[in-house]
Structures are given as C-alpha cells and as structure tokens.
C-alpha cells in the first residue's frame, strides 16, 4: 500500500475513534477546537490528546507507571482543598504531585506537512515538540516545557506543610494557565497556517 | 548547496567545537564514549550533550530560565550534605530541585539514518526521543522520561524537613543511576547498530 492510502485509512479509523470518545465525553473540551482544525486539514489527523492536567499519584518507584494509583486528577486549576482531599487517601509508596502541559499526537501525510506543523507548534511556545516517527507513519508530538514532578510524601505520610502545599498549588495552576494561553495561540496560528 | 555538502560542513564545524570543549573539560566524561561512536559514523554527528544532572535553582517564575540562578549542580549522585550546602545559599524567588536525565542532539545525513538511530534510542528506554527538525537539517534529540522538578522553598525559606530532603536525594540519585544504565545499553546498541 502507498503512504497516502495508509494515511487515508488511518485517518478514517482515527476519526471514528475520536467521534466515539467525544460522545463518551472522554475528550478534553478545552482542546476540541484545535483537534477540529487539524482534522479538517487534508494533511493531518490527530490520534490522541490531553488538555494538560494536575494529578496526585502514588507509585512504588519512579517510572513504574503500571503500578501508579491516581488519588486525584483535574483538567483545570485547583484549590488547596482539592489537593488536601486527594492526599488524605495516601497509603503506601511515594506520593507525587504532577502538573503536566498539553500533549497532542498528530499523523502527517508528508515530511513537508510535518515540518510545517512542527514549526507552528514551536513558534507558539510548545518547545518540546518533535517527530516521534518518520518511517511508514509520520507522527508529531506537540508538547510544552513547563512541568512540575514533585515527590511530597511516603507511605501515607505527607511531608509538606500547608505553606508548601500552597506553593505547589500555585505553581501547578500557573502551568495550567500558561498552557491555556499557549493553546489559544496555537488555535489561532493553526487556523491561519492550515487553511487551504 | 546540497544536503550532503551541508551535512559535511556542519560535521566538520561540530567536531572542531567538540574537540575544543573536550580540551576545556566541558564535555561530561560519562557520555564521551557514545559521542565517539556517533561521530565515527558517516551518517551522524553530535551537536550538544549532557550526561544528566541534579541541580538546585532559584527562579522568579516557572519557565523563566534567563533569571535562574544555580545554587548547586552535579553530574553524579549526591549526598544529603551536598543538597543542604546548596540550599543554604537560597535568598529570593522559588527554590527548585531538578533531576534531569541525559540529552544528546544529533544531526543525521538522511531520514533513513534518523529513523534508525531514533528506533535504537527508544528501544534502549529513551522514550522521549524525537526529531526536532526535518527540514534542511535533520536533528534528533535523545531523551529519557525520568525526571524530578520539585519546588522546595521560597524567598530563602526551605519548606522541607530532612526526611523530605532525604527522599528527594534518593529519587534524584535513582534518576542518575537509571540514566547511567540506559546510557550503557545505548552505547552497546549503537556500537552494534552503527557499525559499517
């Protein structure tokens, strides 16, 4: 099969999955307009995305994602009380707070198209963006640099006082706010840059 | 100029810079064998690298790297005392501890070569690797997933007790140890995969 035929088959299947996920409210609404712009272009389709999130996790060792247990997850800014309610549930292993910026995976029809969308993403501040594959399928990851990955307790004991937790909430929210601004900029630039 | 001529000119200049940096002891010795393997291949050259590091930073706001002040920096595992000596110097702004895994930037002569080295890196656990550019110059970034980015104080005040700092040291060191193992694996696979 040609690369173009693969692309068209892949796009059909990805859009069907996106429609199902949207119906099941599994797609972050804040990122939906950007997905629409990308998927309306003949050169691209999206395969996965996240608006950005703040999470509280318990994990036995770093990188051991399979064993991770979510105690809290928000696709929005949080209050100290949100954090306090989540960390109350801590029992065993390392307790972490993570604040993650948005991530979008996109398949492109050509190297030229991939380079174009990569340049737009980097210009909008998504400086950790890159191509994950240029073999049979060309996959772009749009990703920003801001993040917080902080261990805050162990085996049910939280090490931080409220002043420290307040700082963690403030910085986590700043990451979400910065992400929102960058996504708005990206939406505007993609609307212009991907128009036919 | 052709892409090949650009590549050869770029390689000549990059290797001259690397020789100067090595003489000035600015290249992390732990990563030198990998740089040699890559630069000995006709298909690649390296442009920058870091073995991985643990740093203590003071910054006014997140992402504001220009204003960041280094209070401590180590390309090795650390002891609690190293951390305590560094955070004593804290004065103003947010105080962070970061533990960062290795990073290597490589230019490739072709898409085929880029895809080959990217697949090797991902197979060795450098799962955040990707291509940063596929235009005139093909640039690969080799990068792992483990990291710690934790705010630990503000305006000269450290929020963590020694039990918390101990945990941060332990996790930071685990990241350096995991990185060292991954680099060894990468060295072995590159030695095999890039042989002519």
């Amino acid at each position: 099969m040609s690369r173009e035929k693969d692309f068209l088959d892949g796009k059909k299947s990805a859009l069907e999955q996106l429609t199902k996920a949207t119906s099941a409210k599994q797609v972050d609404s804040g990122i939906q307009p950007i997905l629409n712009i990308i998927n309306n272009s003949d050169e691209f389709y999206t395969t996965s995305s996240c608006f950005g999130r703040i999470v509280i996790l318990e994990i036995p060792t770093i990188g051991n994602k399979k064993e991770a247990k979510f105690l809290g997850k928000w696709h929005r800014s949080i209050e100290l009380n949100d954090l306090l309610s989540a960390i109350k549930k801590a029992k065993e292993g390392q307790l972490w707070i993570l604040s993650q910026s948005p991530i979008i995976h996109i398949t492109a029809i050509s190297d030229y198209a991939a380079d174009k969308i990569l340049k737009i993403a980097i210009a909008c501040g998504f400086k950790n963006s890159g191509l994950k594959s240029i073999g049979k399928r060309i996959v772009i990851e749009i990703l920003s640099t801001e993040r917080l990955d902080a261990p805050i307790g162990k085996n049910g004991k939280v090490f931080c006082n409220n002043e420290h937790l307040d700082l963690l909430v403030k910085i986590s929210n700043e990451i979400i706010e910065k992400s929102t601004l960058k996504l708005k900029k990206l939406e505007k630039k993609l609307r212009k840059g991907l128009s036919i």
Side-chain angles (χ1 to χ4, degrees), chain A:
Chain A
M1 275 197 293
S2 71
R3 188 189 255 186
E4 197 177 336
K5 171 88 168 63
D6 281 346
F7 177 85
L8 291 173
D9 289 348
K11 182 160 187 167
K12 189 167 173 278
S13 159
L15 290 187
E16 281 167 7
Q17 284 177 43
L18 180 62
T19 306
K20 274 186 205 165
T22 307
S23 303
K25 297 194 190 299
Q26 288 164 344
V27 179
D28 306 336
S29 59
I31 214 159
Q32 191 83 56
I34 289 179
L35 303 188
N36 291 343
I37 297 168
I38 297 170
N39 287 318
N40 280 338
S41 159
D42 289 340
E43 295 174 302
F44 305 100
Y45 62 89
T46 60
T47 52
S48 67
S49 65
C50 177
F51 172 70
R53 59 186 193 172
I54 301 170
V55 296
I56 308 295
L57 278 181
E58 257 187 336
I59 45 170
T61 50
I62 190 162
N64 198 341
K65 276 189 192 170
K66 281 181 194 164
E67 308 268 343
K69 200 175 142 193
F70 284 78
L71 306 184
K73 184 164 69 173
W74 305 271
H75 295 272
R76 57 163 172 83
S77 298
I78 62 169
E79 307 277 339
L80 180 60
N81 275 339
D82 293 320
L83 179 56
L84 290 172
S85 306
I87 60 181
K88 250 188 224 165
K89 299 176 219 161
K91 279 181 189 160
E92 60 183 356
Q94 291 171 2
L95 181 65
W96 288 68
I97 177 168
L98 314 183
S99 186
Q100 300 169 320
S101 50
I103 188 163
I104 309 172
H105 286 113
I106 301 163
T107 301
I109 199 165
S110 66
D111 287 1
Y112 174 78
D115 197 42
K116 180 170 67 179
I117 206 162
L118 186 60
K119 283 196 169 73
I120 293 174
I122 291 171
C124 292
F126 291 90
K127 291 188 184 165
N128 273 358
S129 301
L131 277 82
K132 305 308 280 183
S133 156
I134 49 163
K136 208 175 160 194
R137 241 180 94 211
I138 308 166
V139 179
I140 303 112
E141 180 176 82
I142 293 186
L143 189 65
S144 193
T145 47
E146 298 87 2
R147 55 188 279 176
L148 176 144
D149 299 64
I152 55 171
K154 201 173 152 186
N155 296 331
K157 186 173 173 186
V158 177
F159 292 140
C160 306
N161 59 20
N162 277 11
E163 196 181 2
H164 195 177
L165 292 177
D166 254 335
L167 178 67
L168 294 168
V169 166
K170 187 176 164 273
I171 295 171
S172 298
N173 287 343
E174 275 174 15
I175 293 172
I176 297 289
E177 285 151 23
K178 276 210 175 186
S179 299
T180 309
L181 289 177
K182 284 189 182 179
L183 282 175
K184 278 187 187 150
K185 196 172 172 187
L186 182 66
E187 185 182 334
K188 203 174 151 190
K189 293 274 180 190
L190 286 178
R191 206 179 287 281
K192 206 174 155 191
L194 303 191
S195 62
I196 304 162

